[in-house]
């Protein structure tokens, strides 16, 4: 009975008069409510003080480089190593080359199931395409590039896989139409995680569908990371064609390799993307065709980042380069190793029957019932990776013509490096700060649906590189564009500035990306988060950006209505 009264008091949000000291109870409730966040803040402060203490002790005992190695193993950053975190070292010391960690994911594969042979081919990175090669890699220590220089061929030129392992490429039950896309490996980056740490050597244990991707990429190099440190991250599939029994599935994977190992500092090798396609039966018992490759149709297709010294981000060097070839191809469709003849005898298909010749398999022609082009499938995967592209970003000059015609405000992003191409990031210091902001901006705010809807409805969007606008500004042939560019550059601050601009070029509102992220990007353990969460479950960056856009509309109102 007493418990009932207490519960209903809590539900009503007002103390009942049944108690003897209603005012006192109210006071206690208020104090309790206030104490909860205070206690959490206190705890967070206490934790970070302990961590700081442990970090200092670590530095004293191990020195900077020792602490760095220690941190690279300490995946939960508590400055203690658990047996799980110590595992890579144990394996190294015990001389185990391949961790036995795939067992748990690997279902017992039917020995009668079909198998296929995969071949890996690569041509090493063309060192002369790296910008650092221009000055003869001056100032680049030899050990930094050792992993890159020594990586000339795939570690496993040929491997046998079970057809069933490729079931990871099959679509989920609710995505069975041609043109459907889905996440094979979902991206896990968001405003709270930011990005994954640079100081790691061993990939985390692959789970679920990551296992086959990890195995395939391991043919090139022993240390593939199926999940990249920065966005875009993950793998997406798209049904390009379907028949009653088969799918043709295109895929796009963002993964990277760690080329260095202890004692050298990490060197990250990040191809622009891995793409390709697989033709397989709907039950994954048969793989007709498999091809995976790094596109090489651009002059630069690999990002490289390496660390100097024992700190997470302060001494990071960046370069880009050209990788002529990196691909996997199935030698032929999957076939059963053992078959039964009419009398029920088991025959090894590689050796053949009584005649002694290997068995020849004949494959039926696949007649697609419905299909889209490879280009269309690629476009759909791109939209899945970059939802911000659902809003059209026009070229600079077009955006202002359109805004003039539609009497709209221009939402203009001016940045040092590129917004949508991993391989063309800025190659200058200070890099990590910049790269982080450009990416974080794209993968959070510009993709959230309320922002997309508002941009779509009330703005014309464009983005440009500082270099492009500087060229426009200096161009005497085009005074209108030159003036627009000059007005933009006046308001620009490194690294990324978001601006709301009248069709005639006057900037009515602007915000710098670093300032914006500092305002909004709180980690979950930060004390303030509790309050912003209690104010509603909205991502703080989304509401801040919406407010920024609305303030711009408000300021522009009088002009746009004329
Ligand atoms: C943008 O607006 C158009 C027309 O109003 C609509 O068809 C489209 O779905 C919208 N896109 C987004 C991302 O809201
Ligand atoms: C653009 O138009 C607004 C209002 O019509 C005006 O105040 C502003 O000075 C103009 N800017 C330029 C650069 O002409």
């Amino acid at each position: 009975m007493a418990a009932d009264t207490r519960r209903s008091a809590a539900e009503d949000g007002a103390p009942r008069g049944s108690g003897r000291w209603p005012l006192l109870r109210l006071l206690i409730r208020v104090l309790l409510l206030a104490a909860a966040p205070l206690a959490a803040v206190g705890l967070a402060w206490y934790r970070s003080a302990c961590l700081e203490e442990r970090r200092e002790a670590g530095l004293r005992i191990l020195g900077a480089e020792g602490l760095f190695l220690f941190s690279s193993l300490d995946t939960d950053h508590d400055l203690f190593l658990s047996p799980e975190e110590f595992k890579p070292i144990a394996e190294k010391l015990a001389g185990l080359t391949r961790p036995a960690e795939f067992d748990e994911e690997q279902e017992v594969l039917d020995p009668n199931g079909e198998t296929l042979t995969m071949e890996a081919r690569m041509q090493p990175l063309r060192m002369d395409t790296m910008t650092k090669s221009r000055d003869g890699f001056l100032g680049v220590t030899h050990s930094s590039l050792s992993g890159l220089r020594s990586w000339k061929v795939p570690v496993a030129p040929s491997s046998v896989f079970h057809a069933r392992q490729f079931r990871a490429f099959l679509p989920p039950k609710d995505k069975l139409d041609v043109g459907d896309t889905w996440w094979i490996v979902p991206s896990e980056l968001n405003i709270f995680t930011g990005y994954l740490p640079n100081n790691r050597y061993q990939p985390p244990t692959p789970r679920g569908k990551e296992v086959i991707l990890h195995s395939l990429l391991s043919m090139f190099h022993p240390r593939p990371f199926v999940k990249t440190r920065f966005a875009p991250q993950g793998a997406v599939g798209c049904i390009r064609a379907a028949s009653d029994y088969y799918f043709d599935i295109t895929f796009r994977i963002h993964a990277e390799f760690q080329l260095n190992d202890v004692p050298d500092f990490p060197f990250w090798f990040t191809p622009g993307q891995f793409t390709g396609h697989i033709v397989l039966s709907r039950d994954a018992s048969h793989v007709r065709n498999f091809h995976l490759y790094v596109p090489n149709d651009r002059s630069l297709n690999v990002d490289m980042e390496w660390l100097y010294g024992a700190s997470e981000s302060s001494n990071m060097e960046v370069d880009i380069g050209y990788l002529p070839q990196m691909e996997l191809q199935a030698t032929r469709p999957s076939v059963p190793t053992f078959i039964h003849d009419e009398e029920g005898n088991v025959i090894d298909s590689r050796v053949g029957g009584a005649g002694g010749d290997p068995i020849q398999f004949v494959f039926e022609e696949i007649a697609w019932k419905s299909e889209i082009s490879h280009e269309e499938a690629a476009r759909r995967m791109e939209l899945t990776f970059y939802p911000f592209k659902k809003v059209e970003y026009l070229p600079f000059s077009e955006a202002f013509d359109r805004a003039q015609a539609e009497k709209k405000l221009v939402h203009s992003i001016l940045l040092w490096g590129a917004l949508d191409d991993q391989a063309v990031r800025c190659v200058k210091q200070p890099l990590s700060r910049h790269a982080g902001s450009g990416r974080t901006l794209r993968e959070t705010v510009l993709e959230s649906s309320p922002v997309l809807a508002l941009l779509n409805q009330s703005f014309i969007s464009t983005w440009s590189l500082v270099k492009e606008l500087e060229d426009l500004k200096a161009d005497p042939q085009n005074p209108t564009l030159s003036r627009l560019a000059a007005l933009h550059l006046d308001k620009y601050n490194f690294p990324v500035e978001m601006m709301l601009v009248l069709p005639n070029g006057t900037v009515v509102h602007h915000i710098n990306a670093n300032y914006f992220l500092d305002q909004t990007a709180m980690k979950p353990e930060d004390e303030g988060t509790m309050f912003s969460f209690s104010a509603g479950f909205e991502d703080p960056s989304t509401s801040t950006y919406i407010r920024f856009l609305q303030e711009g509309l408000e300021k522009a109102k009088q002009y746009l209505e004329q």
Side-chain angles (χ1 to χ4, degrees), residues 263-284:
D264 294 331
F265 291 122
F267 185 107
W268 294 92
F269 185 91
T270 314
Q273 60 169 279
F274 297 85
T275 187
H277 79 128
I278 178 171
V279 176
L280 81 174
S281 64
R282 286 172 178 249
D283 63 358

Side-chain angles (χ1 to χ4, degrees), residues 123 293-301 322-326:
Q123 293 171 43
Y293 62 99
V294 172
N296 60 2
D297 52 347
R298 292 224 183 154
S299 58
L300 297 165
N301 59 358
Y322 182 67
L323 178 72
Q325 184 188 34
M326 175 170 278

Side-chain angles (χ1 to χ4, degrees), residues 305-321:
E305 295 183 332
W306 62 97
L307 299 186
Y308 272 134
S311 90
E312 163 63 19
S313 63
S314 59
N315 300 310
M316 180 124 98
E317 191 79 78
V318 171
D319 211 336
I320 41 188

Side-chain angles (χ1 to χ4, degrees), residues 9 20 32 39 58 103 142 152 178 191 197 204 210 216 218 238 347 371 380 394 437 518 524:
R20 280 201 287 169
L32 281 178
D103 292 354
H142 185 72
K152 301 269 189 231
V178 166
I191 191 112
E210 294 166 22
L216 290 166
S218 294
C238 176
I347 299 170
E371 61 184 311
R380 290 182 186 218
L394 296 174
S437 358
D518 288 346

